[in-house]
Amino acid sequence: MAQYSPEQLGFLDEVSKDKRTSARSRGRSSTGTRSVKKGVFVRGRRFSAEGLLTIDGMVSNTVVEGSMTRERFLQYLEFTVVWLYMLNG
């Protein structure tokens, strides 16, 4: 790592989000009664985001509907990240 300057380093991270309701699978209640959790169950679309963080901040990102597949990730690397580094040389 010591041979690289901070300007040459970039870090990729992926996050995903959907509209599923977070809920516990178990609950407690008084003896003889059912446990009740009020809330609306939502099952929505999934989005995945990938970002490139450098010393200059977040310099590149992409958001896709669904999961980030290998093909989508490689396309993002080749046509965005590598192109950006070649441009800034």
Side-chain angles (χ1 to χ4, degrees):
M1 282 296 272
Q3 72 252 24
Y4 299 108
S5 69
E7 291 81 16
Q8 292 176 303
L9 298 177
F11 301 91
L12 288 168
D13 194 18
E14 179 186 0
V15 298
S16 63
K17 169 77 173 105
D18 61 14
K19 290 188 175 183
R20 288 189 207 168
T21 306
S22 61
R24 297 175 64 143
S25 60
R26 306 199 190 288
R28 293 179 182 226
S29 67
S30 301
T31 305
T33 62
R34 293 183 151 234
S35 113
V36 177
K37 178 173 185 325
K38 294 181 180 176
V40 178
F41 180 77
V42 178
R43 188 170 200 109
R45 298 183 308 191
R46 178 185 188 90
F47 292 94
S48 295
E50 188 81 32
L52 174 64
L53 182 66
T54 68
I55 196 167
D56 298 322
M58 188 70 84
V59 295
S60 172
N61 60 56
T62 186
V63 176
V64 296
E65 187 170 353
S67 295
M68 180 67 76
T69 62
R70 180 180 189 271
E71 291 78 23
R72 287 177 174 171
F73 179 73
L74 291 175
Q75 183 178 12
Y76 169 67
L77 277 179
E78 182 179 355
F79 295 110
T80 305
V81 175
V82 173
W83 181 80
L84 185 68
Y85 272 94
M86 289 175 60
L87 184 67
N88 294 329

